[in-house]
Structure formats: C-alpha cells, structure tokens
Amino acid sequence: MTNTTRLGGIRRAVASALGLTARLGVPVLLLLLVAPELVAAQEEAMISSGDTAWMLMSTGLVLFMTAGLAFFYGGLVPSKNVLNTMMMSFIAFGFAGVLWAVVGYSLAFGSGGAFVGDFSMAFLSGVGSQPNGTIPDMLFMAFQGTFAIITAALISGAVVGRMKFGSYVTFISLWGLLIYAPVCHWVWGGGWLSEFGALDFAGGAVVHVNAGAAALAAALVLGTRADYGRRAMLPHNVPFVLLGAGILWFGWMGFNGGSALAADELAALGVVNTMLAPAATLVAWALLDLMFAKQITAVGAATGIVVGLVAVTPAAGFVSPMASIAIGAIAAFPSYFLIRWRVSTRLDDSLDVFAAHGVGGASGAILTGVFASVGAEGLLLGNPGQVWIQAVSILAVFAYSAIGSVIILKVIQAVAGLRPTEALELRGMDVISHGEEGYATGDGAILILDEELNGGSAASAA
Amino acid sequence: MKLVKVIIRPEKLSDVLKALYQADVKGLTVSRVQGHGGERESVETYRGTSVKMGLTQKIMIDIGVSEEFVDATVKAVIAAAQTGGVGDGKIFVFPVEAIYRIRTGEKDQAAVTPVVS
C-alpha cells in the first residue's frame, strides 16, 4: 500500500492509459506500436508474475484471518453465545465483501477528493486485469476487500452476546461504507492523511484504530450485558482462542507482507517484522502476567500475540527487524494495563477490542514515527515531526470513527433497536438469534416433518 | 433432615447460588440436566433439518439440610429463580433416612452443620 501511496500518481496514470487501451481496443494498440515512448510506458507497467503470485497468496491469507478471528472471539465467550459470536465475523465475509465490490472500493480508491473517493469504479466498473502497479487491478481490489472484511468483523468483539443480529449486520454494512471507505481513502487512496505524510504500512490507523474506536463507541451505546458485574464471563474454549491467535498470526504474514504489493525486499521486511514483533510482545506479556497474575496464562499469551500483530501493522515496512522487536515489547504495556483496568469499570467492551486494537494500533503508529528508518525517517533519525504527524492521524481516525459510529448506531437504535430483551439475552444469543446451538446433543430433538411445518402447527408458532 | 432437590433455568444459577449462600445454605451439589416442564418447545434448524427441542437445558441442585433450614432454602430458591415464565423449574423436598459426613463419620444433624472456619 505504501507503494500505491508513493508511486500512486504514476501507477494511476499508467493504469488509466491502459484502461483506455482496453476500451478503445485495436486502433490504440496500433497507435502504441508507432509511438515508442508510450510503448516504454506500457513495459514499465507490466504485470509481474512473481508479484502477482505473492499477492494472490496474500489475499487468501488475509481472508483466512477473519476465520481466525471468529475462533479467537468464539473461544472467549460462554458456550451459549459461541455461534452468534463466530457468525458476527463470518457474516462480514458476505456483507462487507459484497458491498466492497459494489461501491466500497470505489469510495476508498476512486480518485475523488481529499476526504473520500467517488463512484467511478462502482460495480467494479473499469476494474479489470490491467496492471495496477505490477499486479492485476482486480487483484488489488480483492486484496483490499479482505481488509474491509476483517476490519468490520473486529468491531464485533465489543458487542458480543447482546446485540440483535440484524442490527449488527446493518451496522457493519453502513460502517464499511460511511467510515471504513473514507478513512481508507484518507491514508491509502490519495486522501489528506497521505498528503500529510502519515506512515501506515498495513493499517494501524485505517484498520485497528478505526475498528477500536468503533468498538468503544458500540460498547458505550449498547451498554453493559445484562449480568455484567454479577457474573464473570469466562472463555468457554481456550483452545479455540489459541487456535484463533495462531491463524491470525499466519494470516497476518499476508496482511503485512502483502501490503508491499510486490514480492520484493519490502514484503520480506514486512514478513520478518510480523514474525518478530508479536514474539517480543508475547515475551513482554508473559513477564507482565508473571508479575501481576503470578502465572503465564494461555488467554494472555493469545492476547499478547494479537496486540503485537496490531502494533507492528503500521510499522512493518518502515522499520528494521530489531526496531520491530522494540515496538512489539513496548506496545505490550499500554494494552496490558488498560485491559486489567477496564474490567473494573462499567465499560463492557467484552473482548477488549479497544485495548487490543485501538490502543495497540495507536502505540504501533506512534512507535512507527519513532523508529521509522526504511523509506522514511522517524524520531530516532532526527525527525520528531513524524511522531506529531502520526499522532494527528490517530486522533483524526479515532474521532471520525467514534463519532460516526455513534451516529449510525443511534439511527439503527431508533429504527430497529439494538438489543434483545434481558430474558432472551440471558438465555443465550445462539438459540434466539440463529435457532441453533454450538454444542447440540440432539437428545430429545424431535424431527419436524414437512407437512407439520407448512401446516402452521405448534412448531411454526414457536 | 430433608433433601431439597431444585430444578432451575441455567441462567439463574448464579442468582440462586448467591441467595443460598446468603441464607447460610452452603452444602450442595450441582448437575447439568435436560428436562421438560411444559414450556414451549423451541425449533432449531440445521441445514434444512428442523427439530423441535423437546428437552431444555436445566440445572439441578441437591441440598441436604436440617429441618429448620428447609423453609429458608425453599424461599431463597424461589425468590432467586422466579421469572414468571413457564419453565422456571421445580423444588422437591424429600425425607432423608440418614446423612453421613465422610471425612469424620458424623451423622445426621452434625453431618449437615457447616464447619465453622
């Protein structure tokens, strides 16, 4: 993505020239044959099979992260809410994915203005196999789409176990178009934050501060779960949590490595940093756990890994491997203490999305401004102004996302309501929202025959 | 001595336990059970197969108490577990022939008197 930002102008010009070629067809091709300087431009914009192979892989890796997130979140909730929680991630594949192709991509990456793109690429108009950089344009669209999907799904951790499913789907759909797409445009689509010089390699602000702010807003608007403070919410399946953290780490190689948009030294740096930073966070988290919880906990280890992944996201292609270790270790502290403190408050950000992603992303973005040394200069190389630019970008994204999310949620609340009744919430969201159980035994389940269902008997009344 | 057998909704367990502790009833056994008490059956669908869930998840609590604790136990459970909807559960009170505490071999009244710690 930094490539897009840095070389965006050239690439867009080349892409539009080639798009024109595709539309006008043979006559222009002939013209190209007799115009050597234009042929040179075409050669420069050739699709690279190596770059394309890596980006195809990365797209799959990032898509898989949302499944990992479903396991990470699903394991952390009581068994009565496991399907609802995992579905909040899985449904994003559908709604966020389709809306991205319909209009989200155009709003984020259409040329537009400083604030938002335009509708020029709505319904993927003109998004074909022509090169965007060195990869097919539609592959760039799909890669970016996987980011839109997981960012929407991240928010769900703040509202698990207490939000009407239809209202949730409406929320993430509107959020993806009204909040994610503009913020993505600010940083990666040629908007004002990229002009301003903010460094965000793979989405510290766009993805994590953005989702963290929306999560904080959603937790506040929804209020606490019915038995908050009276009954502890224990994870029902810690192995799921570890599995989810592992899948996230695996997928994050494509998230950060793929954000180089090429199979080059920048991608290698991204992957190396994505391996090392969470490792350092895990070590720091384990030591903090040892100090404060007296034992190294499994849920803590999984959380530490995620915080490290979040923190290295904005930095991955801008810092050296040793700096990424420092970033990972330092980022453990604010998130660790915020999570410990949050539990004693009335803020029911149930799975600590704000502490892990909002604060983790902000720490990473600031530290990127401190340690940047590859393709940019940070505080340690005598450029303190970068830290200020990073801080402004965090505050802008946070404010826009939090305020926008509150407005969207209040509108949905007025139209359809956000929460089920307390009695239903206590029964569990799986049965009331989906009519399924995560761990049904099948004991005493009576098969309903077709005629009984269609006949409007007791079954359909229920 | 009596054995009080209580069947309640799973989501009411914490409230009931808290009420029992407050009523000084401290010896009990909890089991996860499934049952049917006339509540409306919920319908679940798995890939086109619809089933009526004839059995509902419930919690059963067995409490051995001396005579003077029976009333307090029953009152605490009812106050904590009542929602007013069908399916709140039942309380059965049984006479008990003998109770032994395994650790000391104490019998009956002494066996159900909580250890003062």
Side-chain angles (χ1 to χ4, degrees), chain A residues 31-378:
Chain A
L31 185 69
L32 283 175
L33 285 175
V34 295
E37 67 276 14
L38 281 178
V39 174
Q42 188 191 26
E43 270 168 4
E44 195 182 306
M46 284 280 278
I47 283 176
S48 146
S49 61
D51 292 348
T52 303
W54 168 235
M55 293 312 295
L56 288 166
M57 188 65 222
S58 291
T59 305
L61 284 168
V62 182
L63 194 69
F64 193 39
M65 285 169 67
T66 301
L69 185 73
F71 276 90
F72 183 73
Y73 282 174
L76 285 170
V77 300
S79 56
K80 65 179 181 180
N81 293 329
V82 60
L83 292 182
N84 182 244
T85 301
M86 296 185 78
M87 276 296 285
M88 282 182 166
S89 290
F90 269 81
I91 204 71
F93 281 128
F95 284 84
V98 169
L99 285 169
W100 182 252
V102 169
V103 63
Y105 175 63
S106 187
L107 289 176
F109 288 93
S111 41
F115 184 74
V116 67
D118 51 29
F119 293 98
S120 60
M121 293 186 289
F123 298 97
L124 300 185
S125 151
V127 181
S129 333
Q130 75 277 15
N132 180 340
T134 54
I135 63 170
D137 198 24
M138 68 166 79
L139 177 58
F140 177 74
M141 182 282 298
F143 179 68
Q144 290 297 337
T146 60
F147 280 61
I149 291 168
I150 192 164
T151 308
L154 282 172
I155 305 169
S156 68
V159 301
V160 291
R162 63 184 195 284
M163 188 167 184
K164 286 182 176 175
F165 200 65
S167 299
Y168 167 77
V169 171
T170 312
F171 172 63
I172 61 162
S173 300
L174 292 173
W175 190 88
L177 297 182
L178 302 175
I179 312 286
Y180 182 78
V183 170
C184 185
H185 183 79
W186 297 357
V187 180
W188 294 330
W192 71 274
L193 276 178
S194 66
E195 300 292 324
F196 189 54
L199 300 178
D200 193 358
F201 191 72
V206 178
V207 172
H208 297 289
V209 173
N210 202 355
L216 181 64
L220 288 171
V221 174
L222 258 77
T224 58
R225 61 181 176 265
D227 50 6
Y228 187 79
R230 286 188 286 130
R231 185 175 183 176
M233 190 178 87
L234 298 185
H236 91 283
N237 193 332
V238 179
F240 269 13
V241 180
L242 290 168
L243 174 68
I247 295 175
L248 282 167
W249 201 340
F250 176 70
W252 226 293
M253 296 297 174
F255 197 91
N256 290 350
S259 289
L261 297 173
D264 57 8
E265 64 277 15
L266 207 55
L269 181 65
V271 166
V272 169
N273 286 344
T274 307
M275 189 205 114
L276 291 176
T281 317
L282 179 53
V283 170
W285 206 278
L287 294 177
L288 285 167
D289 250 1
L290 207 52
M291 253 195 284
F292 293 97
K294 308 294 174 214
Q295 275 157 330
I296 297 172
T297 64
V299 173
T303 309
I305 288 169
V306 171
V307 169
L309 288 164
V310 169
V312 77
T313 295
F318 294 119
V319 302
S320 69
M322 288 316 292
S324 82
I325 290 181
I327 290 174
I330 295 168
F333 290 83
S335 295
Y336 187 89
F337 290 108
L338 185 61
I339 288 175
R340 280 181 70 84
W341 174 75
R342 201 276 306 161
V343 183
S344 65
T345 68
R346 294 296 296 167
L347 172 64
D348 188 9
D349 175 5
S350 316
L351 307 182
D352 288 301
V353 184
F354 177 67
H357 296 273
V359 173
S363 310
I366 295 282
L367 292 169
T368 304
V370 174
F371 288 103
S373 62
V374 181
E377 289 181 347

Side-chain angles (χ1 to χ4, degrees), chain A residues 230-231 426-427 431 435-437 440-441 443-448 452-453 459 462, chain B residues 10-11 14-15 34 40-46 49-55 57:
Chain A
R230 286 188 286 130
R231 185 175 183 176
L426 288 174
R427 263 193 78 192
V431 174
E436 293 169 294
E437 296 169 52
T441 59
D443 296 342
I446 304 155
L447 199 62
I448 301 173
E452 209 178 336
L453 265 184
Chain B
E11 61 265 30
S14 336
D15 292 346
Q34 296 182 87
R40 197 155 61 174
E41 291 145 342
S42 63
V43 174
E44 299 184 359
T45 304
Y46 297 89
T49 305
S50 293
V51 289
K52 248 190 307 201
M53 301 309 280
L55 298 177
Q57 302 291 331

